[in-house]
Amino acid sequence: MKIKIAPSILASDFAKAGETVEKLEKCGADYVHCDVMDGNFVPPITFGHQMVANIRPHTKLPLDCHLMVLHPETHFEEFKKAGADYVTIHYEACKNNLIENLQKIKSLGMKCGAVINPDTPVEKIFDCVPLADMLLIMSVFPGYGGQKFIEETLPRLEKLRSFCVKNGYPDKEIEVDGGITESNIDSVLSAGANVIVAGSTVFRAADMAKTIGRLRG
Ligand code: DX5
Ligand code: ZN
């Protein structure tokens, strides 16, 4: 499977967002990971669809919007208008409306993803596998960049990847998000993730292009 790198702009200076995404594209990133936070689902507030609309003209890269918000379904249309390519939503914010919300994202012509926090059993999103374009396993509790990778994520990635393979979705995109560094990337890739979110590691790098290349394993 193709390994894709999705740097998170949470770790960057929002005042320079346009040039940041231009630089990410030049440095070989595959997606731009946009961490949307509402101050309710997670304590911090970051940005909303307006930021996505502002960076849209600066890159051709798919904009991978991670909605850490309550009532995500109230935002889908605005993200569509803003130019979002992927919208990923939390099981913990949707519970029994997750499938319905994923269908709504798809009906708007965007790719959809289901996200689970580190303390949510992987089985909770097994029923999304056929519909979702991407499944995101959080390797930190959402809300902040620069946190330590939670090691228990590895068996969770293996369990999800083997479920996808056994059920006829061997190429399903599985994204991992939080605490990814050059020292844990190999174990993350061998556990079955193929889309790698990295904020601090990329934006702290002396040579961004080299670091993005190294994160491809
Ligand atoms: C945390 C976000 C992550 C975070 C990753 O709530 O969802 O995308 O920005 O940042 P690092 O790579 O610094 O852990
Ligand atoms: Zn994220």
Side-chain angles (χ1 to χ4, degrees), residues 124-168:
K124 294 289 184 192
I125 53 169
F126 278 2
D127 60 348
C128 303
V129 168
L131 175 67
D133 298 291
M134 183 149 79
L135 300 151
L136 170 47
I137 293 193
M138 291 304 294
S139 37
V140 296
F141 281 91
Y144 306 91
Q147 299 179 79
K148 197 173 163 339
F149 179 81
I150 297 172
E151 292 297 330
E152 289 72 18
T153 307
L154 296 174
R156 288 162 55 81
L157 284 167
E158 283 164 1
K159 188 183 257 187
L160 181 58
R161 179 59 70 194
S162 66
F163 178 85
C164 291
V165 170
K166 280 193 198 111
N167 288 275

Side-chain angles (χ1 to χ4, degrees), residues 32-52:
V32 176
H33 187 78
C34 303
D35 281 313
V36 178
M37 301 183 193
D38 66 358
N40 285 294
F41 181 72
V42 290
I45 295 173
T46 53
F47 50 76
H49 64 276
Q50 185 59 47
M51 169 67 90
V52 174

Side-chain angles (χ1 to χ4, degrees), residues 169-189:
Y169 302 99
D171 298 332
K172 189 65 65 172
E173 288 202 321
I174 297 181
E175 187 174 42
V176 63
D177 182 2
I180 304 291
T181 64
E182 292 179 44
S183 47
N184 60 32
I185 185 64
D186 289 342
S187 44
V188 165
L189 294 174

Side-chain angles (χ1 to χ4, degrees), residues 48-59:
H49 64 276
Q50 185 59 47
M51 169 67 90
V52 174
N54 290 159
I55 61 176
R56 181 68 284 172
H58 291 273
T59 180

